[in-house]
Amino acid sequence: MILSKNLISAKSIIKTFTQGAKLVPVLRGIDIEVSKGEFVVISGPSGAGKSTLLHILGALDCPTSGKVIIDGEDIYSSSDEARARLRNKKIGFVFQFYHLLGEFSCLENVYLPKLIAQNLYGKGESNLYPGQDIRKNALEILSLLDLKNRADFPPAKLSGGEKQRVAIARALINEPDIIFCDEPTGNLDSQSGEEIRSILMRLNREKGRTIIVVTHQRDLFSDCGRLINIRDGLISEEFVLQEVK
């Protein structure tokens, strides 16, 4: 049953954490709707609840109350297994500190989510080694991000900007509908930050990916889609930065 015409619809999202005997409200009732192909920037001061909201929208963390509907599915009424499948097949994540696996090469980091999807959701016996098609797919994505010559490098030998591009390549390997980015430029110098912003814009405007970015660097994304500003766990302002063409 289709519950929403939007790709993402979040209703009355409340998140409260417990610190000892004290309840700490982080999100106080958030409503957000995101259409397919949008570029949404979520900004606000530290502690406003931006990353918590992103994790809830991306099926990484359950709200205390409220609903998140992705592509017609009420994800927090679904099983843990269904949410894991959703994350693997429809969602890509990019984080501030990359979360690359140091014991694997860049190529292996990129194709790992596809290998997991094949083993968990494909047919036949589990396979610990990628087929040629998976390797080829990963190399093609690395090439698009000017990283083919780094395919066999371990992450430790990459610059911060290169690590983030590998993280973006990994997020793209399963062809997700939505890419969630949590401070993707927050750990980078200004030039690398501009490069990452440009890549995300290109993925949105040329490839039609739905992009949701949490950032302190509001000015860096000033020509992207729609801004949602959060303060004290509530939406304080929302407006279009630039229409997506």
Side-chain angles (χ1 to χ4, degrees), residues 55-75:
H55 292 173
I56 289 172
L57 295 178
L60 287 176
D61 188 16
C62 295
T64 303
S65 63
K67 287 186 176 183
V68 177
I69 297 163
I70 296 181
D71 202 16
E73 180 181 353
D74 185 347
I75 64 174

Side-chain angles (χ1 to χ4, degrees), residues 80-91:
D80 291 344
E81 181 181 352
R83 283 196 295 277
R85 183 188 293 264
L86 174 81
R87 287 193 299 268
N88 187 265
K89 298 179 74 68
K90 291 194 174 189
I91 292 173

Side-chain angles (χ1 to χ4, degrees), residues 32-225:
I32 289 179
E33 294 186 343
V34 179
S35 299
K36 183 175 176 61
E38 271 201 282
F39 195 124
V40 176
V41 179
I42 300 175
S43 191
S46 296
K50 305 183 301 297
S51 292
T52 299
L53 176 61
L54 191 79
H55 292 173
I56 289 172
L57 295 178
L60 287 176
D61 188 16
C62 295
T64 303
S65 63
K67 287 186 176 183
V68 177
I69 297 163
I70 296 181
D71 202 16
E73 180 181 353
D74 185 347
I75 64 174
Y76 292 110
S77 292
S78 303
S79 66
D80 291 344
E81 181 181 352
R83 283 196 295 277
R85 183 188 293 264
L86 174 81
R87 287 193 299 268
N88 187 265
K89 298 179 74 68
K90 291 194 174 189
I91 292 173
F93 289 97
V94 180
F95 299 98
Q96 179 176 357
F97 294 104
Y98 326 123
H99 295 334
L100 301 177
L101 300 175
E103 63 270 32
F104 295 115
S105 69
C106 292
L107 180 64
E108 290 166 337
N109 269 279
V110 171
Y111 69 57
L112 187 59
K114 193 150 196 167
L115 194 60
I116 291 170
Q118 175 181 279
N119 288 339
L120 291 180
Y121 312 122
K123 296 180 179 179
E125 295 181 3
S126 294
N127 180 11
L128 296 176
Y129 302 97
Q132 288 301 312
D133 288 345
I134 291 179
R135 289 179 61 87
K136 181 181 177 183
N137 188 197
L139 281 169
E140 287 172 348
I141 295 173
L142 285 171
S143 295
L144 287 173
L145 299 175
D146 295 323
L147 286 169
K148 188 174 182 179
N149 64 341
R150 297 289 193 269
D152 295 324
F153 281 38
K157 290 191 175 182
L158 304 183
S159 69
E162 288 172 333
K163 290 176 184 176
Q164 197 61 292
R165 280 187 279 152
V166 172
I168 292 172
R170 179 183 58 192
L172 292 172
I173 190 67
N174 284 336
E175 301 182 9
D177 296 324
I178 313 160
I179 300 175
F180 290 99
C181 305
D182 194 356
E183 299 285 2
T185 60
N187 203 35
L188 303 177
D189 60 53
S190 58
Q191 180 178 343
S192 297
E194 288 282 355
E195 290 173 356
I196 296 304
R197 179 193 66 87
S198 178
I199 289 168
L200 293 174
M201 289 178 65
R202 190 168 76 242
L203 289 170
N204 174 253
R205 295 178 182 179
E206 296 179 10
K207 304 296 184 181
R209 305 288 187 192
T210 302
I211 310 286
I212 302 178
V213 175
V214 158
T215 183
H216 283 93
Q217 298 170 303
R218 177 168 160 172
D219 291 346
L220 181 61
F221 292 91
S222 61
D223 58 350
C224 303

